[in-house]
Amino acid sequence: MKCLLAASATALGLLLSPVSAAQTAPERPAKQLPVVATIAPTKGKPAAEKDRSAYLLVYFKDETHSLHFAVSSDGYSFTDVNGGEPVLLGRDIAEQKGVRDPHISRGPDGAFYLAMTDLHIFAQREGLRSTEWQRDGERYGWGNNRALIFMKSYDLVHWTHAAVRVDRLFPSTAEIGTAWAPQTLYDPAKRKMMVYYSTRDGKETDHMVYSYADDAFTTLTAPPVPLFKYPDPTKGTIDGDITRVGGKYHLFYVAHDKPGHLRQAVSGKINRDYAFDPTKIDPETVATEAPSLWRRHGTDTYVLMYDVFGAKPVNNMGFSETRDFVHFKNLGRFNEPGSPMKSTNFSQPKHGAVVSISPEEMRRLQAYFAR
């Protein structure tokens, strides 16, 4: 999106394409992350928050429709751990032979939870299917899909895998048009990982919903419930990102009142009562999506990262900083003149997320790909 433990599409129970992905996909990278049936917690205690001074960026590229990892020791300069190549191929783990919108978080059990959209928007062009979309575009719309990808790891190297067919789980989801941009956040009241994502019924308006995952992170345990909708029912909302800051939950999302503009809604509850605020958050004059918030280690400063997909001639990641969630300082985009944000060995990352990790966890990941 040479392998220590490559999982084939057949082994993972994925659907076969009319044309083999191997005939059109790029050559397999030298190394990929192992996909395993089960995982056990790592020995010792998980890295304490005070020790998480490094950062892991997960992202994908349109060219690969696969998963990529980059790390940083300072939160400003990021380096891809696999030299810009995917760490896991979308064709090996996804029903549509491609993944998008990766998100990563850490649970109270010390495990990392990685969720992705099972979707390949160029599959027809690349000979992976005979139709533009997986299902009838007249009935289900642009970019229609029906599955999410769930993965879990304790060491950032060995991962479990589950392709979650949302349309088969509940009667209420049988006619979903999309299941996009899944993210996870621990709900202390439920003592479960909450999974929230963008969806719609058929071609109706996009909106955000939430459900809960099982402990093994292999499925959803209850039908989705609306999380947040735009006050005007004809306007869509997608790409939600929730972070708890003090006693409040901050939800950043894309509002389709003006395509590609970011908004913020705040609530005292993790899964409801988010107050609509029409204020535009991002500083961009072109379309953006995929907001993702993360805190700089040892500070009360938060970074809001977003995919500037409207940037010309190529897309890029943009960044803003805030301490009060009212004022946002524009840091610019990766590698722009004057911007402190750098990508050292990769370009054109899309729809990413950042999680804080310890230097030891960063070195372990780097060491795996250095072998």
Side-chain angles (χ1 to χ4, degrees):
M1 334 202 310
K2 192 166 27 132
C3 172
L4 181 65
L5 180 58
S8 68
T10 301
L12 289 174
L14 305 182
L15 298 182
L16 296 177
S17 305
V19 179
S20 170
Q23 296 176 2
T24 57
E27 183 178 350
R28 183 177 298 277
K31 182 164 287 189
Q32 288 192 273
L33 295 171
V35 176
V36 297
T38 60
I39 49 174
T42 53
K43 295 181 179 179
K45 296 181 179 179
E49 186 172 354
K50 65 180 179 63
D51 298 324
R52 301 173 194 170
S53 59
Y55 307 86
L56 170 63
L57 165 65
V58 300
Y59 68 96
F60 86 99
K61 286 187 170 188
D62 272 336
E63 293 82 358
T64 65
H65 270 74
S66 296
L67 178 65
H68 296 252
F69 281 178
V71 293
S72 173
S73 59
D74 62 5
Y76 291 96
S77 180
F78 287 82
T79 299
D80 191 286
V81 300
N82 204 23
E85 295 295 324
V87 296
L88 200 57
L89 293 175
R91 71 174 186 252
D92 286 345
I93 58 172
E95 182 183 63
Q96 291 204 36
K97 305 295 189 288
V99 294
R100 301 174 69 86
D101 319 326
H103 178 267
I104 189 169
S105 68
R106 193 194 297 257
D109 57 352
F112 293 92
Y113 292 82
L114 178 65
M116 294 175 280
T117 306
D118 185 323
L119 175 64
H120 200 315
I121 67 171
F122 303 129
Q124 183 182 42
R125 184 186 71 186
E126 295 185 8
L128 298 174
R129 61 174 173 253
S130 60
T131 57
E132 181 180 14
W133 303 117
Q134 187 178 42
R135 295 168 295 169
D136 180 18
E138 289 298 317
R139 182 174 178 182
Y140 294 101
W142 187 96
N144 66 73
N145 76 315
R146 56 196 180 188
L148 301 173
I149 302 298
F150 288 178
M151 305 186 73
K152 183 176 180 178
S153 173
Y154 286 96
D155 63 3
L156 292 175
V157 174
H158 302 85
W159 294 84
T160 62
H161 166 272
V164 182
R165 281 288 300 272
V166 180
D167 64 320
R168 292 177 176 173
L169 291 180
F170 316 104
S172 62
T173 58
E175 288 299 308
I176 59 168
T178 58
W180 286 347
Q183 298 203 178
T184 57
L185 181 66
Y186 181 67
D187 184 339
K190 293 285 188 178
R191 296 183 180 180
K192 293 181 178 294
M193 295 299 291
M194 185 177 88
V195 179
Y196 55 104
Y197 57 96
S198 306
T199 191
R200 64 174 182 254
D201 290 330
K203 293 176 66 177
E204 294 180 4
T205 306
D206 297 307
H207 59 282
M208 293 175 282
V209 298
Y210 73 92
S211 184
Y212 291 92
D214 64 331
D215 291 343
F217 202 49
T218 62
T219 191
L220 298 174
T221 60
V225 177
L227 174 70
F228 176 81
K229 290 186 177 182
Y230 199 92
D232 181 343
T234 68
K235 308 296 184 184
T237 59
I238 63 170
D239 293 356
D241 178 84
I242 302 173
T243 303
R244 183 174 181 175
V245 182
K248 298 290 185 180
Y249 291 91
H250 291 256
L251 166 64
F252 291 90
Y253 65 96
V254 177
H256 282 160
D257 53 352
K258 294 181 179 178
H261 287 180
L262 304 185
R263 300 286 188 272
Q264 177 184 199
V266 182
S267 175
K269 306 285 179 25
I270 189 173
N271 55 18
R272 63 183 185 277
D273 301 336
Y274 284 94
F276 174 73
D277 184 339
T279 305
K280 178 179 179 294
I281 297 299
D282 66 285
E284 298 288 345
T285 58
V286 297
T288 58
E289 63 183 5
S292 180
L293 188 76
W294 45 280
R295 183 174 65 87
R296 293 203 181 278
H297 179 72
T299 75
D300 60 356
T301 298
Y302 287 80
V303 180
L304 181 64
M305 179 177 73
Y306 30 85
D307 182 345
V308 190
F309 71 93
K312 303 299 182 185
V314 294
N315 68 281
N316 202 343
M317 290 291 192
F319 303 85
S320 293
E321 282 185 339
T322 186
R323 296 175 65 184
D324 60 8
F325 292 88
V326 175
H327 305 91
F328 291 81
K329 177 184 177 182
N330 183 11
L331 298 183
R333 306 170 187 167
F334 268 145
N335 302 324
E336 280 189 337
S339 173
M341 306 303 299
K342 308 297 179 185
S343 60
T344 65
N345 63 346
F346 65 99
S347 61
Q348 292 184 257
K350 290 192 62 61
H351 201 126
V354 171
V355 66
S356 61
I357 60 176
S358 70
E360 179 182 359
E361 290 169 329
M362 180 177 71
R363 287 191 292 269
R364 181 169 58 229
L365 188 59
Q366 291 173 312
Y368 172 77
F369 283 98
R371 285 184 289 179

